[in-house]
């Protein structure tokens, strides 16, 4: 969730320098900066499970997996976001230690306060990333995963995953039971 938009536009340079020293994260959306609120236990557990699974799977493949502390810069949308989980296999992303631009996979964990933004405007901005192949939305309140995958015609198709199913991520040639994504998450309905 984002709160407290600034009342004046800020330059990219000022934003990036400010993020290096800020005790809290901010997203930059077309000149405005928004403070980000921390996540829940379920949110952090799901993100951690994904990081562990992906790190082991991607070892030795030239890909990097990032937590919600690494920014993505989308030049055409004029935004810097902090995806919950991001994977890039593009060598151009090794040139910048503060943000990435060429991910193949982005995952966002949904909460009631962020769901509409992540499904709407944020996804519209993410779709401008030329290298993005899959965008995944994971509910933290119930077992439900939605994977938007780009087909050969560059159209986005929706694939849903429920309990007892196996999540398939073509962008990184990965699959695992949905239950592993939700391992140790309490209070699911």
């Amino acid at each position: 969730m984002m709160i407290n938009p600034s009342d004046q536009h800020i330059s990219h340079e000022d934003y990036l320098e400010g993020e290096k020293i800020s005790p809290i994260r901010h997203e930059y959306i077309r000149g405005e900066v928004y403070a980000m609120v921390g996540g829940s236990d379920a949110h952090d557990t799901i993100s951690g499970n994904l990081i562990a699974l992906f790190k082991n799977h991607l070892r030795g493949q030239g890909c990097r997996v990032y937590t919600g502390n690494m920014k993505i810069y989308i030049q055409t949308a004029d935004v810097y976001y902090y995806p919950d989980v991001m994977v890039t296999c593009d060598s151009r992303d090794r040139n910048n230690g503060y943000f990435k631009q060429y991910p193949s996979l982005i995952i966002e964990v949904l909460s009631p306060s962020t769901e509409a933004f992540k499904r709407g405007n944020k996804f519209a901005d993410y779709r401008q990333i030329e290298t993005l192949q899959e965008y995944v939305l994971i509910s933290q309140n119930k077992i439900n995963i939605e994977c938007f995958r780009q087909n050969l015609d560059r159209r986005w198709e929706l694939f849903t995953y429920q309990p007892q199913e196996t999540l398939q991520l073509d962008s990184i040639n990965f699959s695992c039971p949905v239950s592993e994504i939700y391992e140790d998450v309490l209070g699911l309905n």
Side-chain angles (χ1 to χ4, degrees):
M1 180 176 153
M2 298 179 296
I3 58 172
N4 297 334
S6 63
D7 58 354
Q8 57 184 316
H9 289 313
I10 185 171
S11 72
H12 290 242
E13 295 78 16
D14 288 344
Y15 165 74
L16 291 170
E17 287 304 312
E19 283 300 280
K20 290 178 186 176
I21 60 171
S22 177
I24 59 172
R25 297 174 302 149
H26 301 83
E27 290 190 328
Y28 176 100
I29 303 173
R30 294 172 270 289
E32 294 185 8
V33 175
Y34 299 83
M36 297 184 63
V37 177
S40 68
D41 182 274
H43 184 284
D44 203 51
T45 301
I46 291 167
S47 295
N49 289 344
L50 289 164
I51 295 296
L53 291 164
F54 291 169
K55 181 69 175 169
N56 288 331
H57 172 73
L58 295 169
R59 185 168 279 117
Q61 296 182 35
C63 298
R64 300 283 305 268
V65 58
Y66 293 96
T67 66
N69 291 316
M70 177 56 70
K71 290 178 289 305
I72 182 165
Y73 172 48
I74 308 168
Q75 184 175 9
T76 56
D78 191 23
V79 297
Y80 291 88
Y81 289 131
Y82 284 93
D84 292 321
V85 178
M86 169 176 50
V87 176
T88 178
C89 302
D90 195 303
S91 62
R92 294 174 290 180
D93 271 333
R94 297 195 185 269
N95 297 329
N96 192 307
Y98 294 100
F99 61 85
K100 305 303 168 193
Q101 293 180 273
Y102 308 101
S104 54
L105 171 65
I106 292 177
I107 298 176
E108 295 282 8
V109 180
L110 302 175
S111 68
S113 61
T114 65
E115 184 169 356
F117 178 65
K118 289 179 177 183
R119 287 184 181 284
N121 292 343
K122 201 170 202 182
F123 186 28
D125 290 338
Y126 283 156
R127 288 193 305 263
Q128 296 181 46
I129 303 169
E130 184 179 314
T131 57
L132 187 64
Q133 298 170 37
E134 290 174 308
Y135 179 54
V136 179
L137 298 173
I138 300 178
S139 173
Q140 66 176 304
N141 299 324
K142 62 182 178 182
I143 298 176
N144 184 53
I145 299 175
E146 297 170 289
C147 175
F148 294 89
R149 185 174 299 134
Q150 221 179 132
N151 65 24
L152 295 175
D153 295 326
R154 299 200 46 86
R155 293 194 174 140
W156 292 91
E157 295 179 309
L158 172 61
F159 298 84
T160 59
Y161 299 92
Q162 303 297 315
Q164 316 309 318
E165 293 185 331
T166 298
L167 172 66
Q168 177 65 40
L169 298 174
D170 294 347
S171 60
I172 58 171
N173 193 27
F174 173 85
S175 65
C176 78
V178 167
S179 61
E180 291 184 18
I181 306 298
Y182 285 94
E183 184 178 357
D184 296 327
V185 176
L186 304 174
L188 295 174
N189 53 23

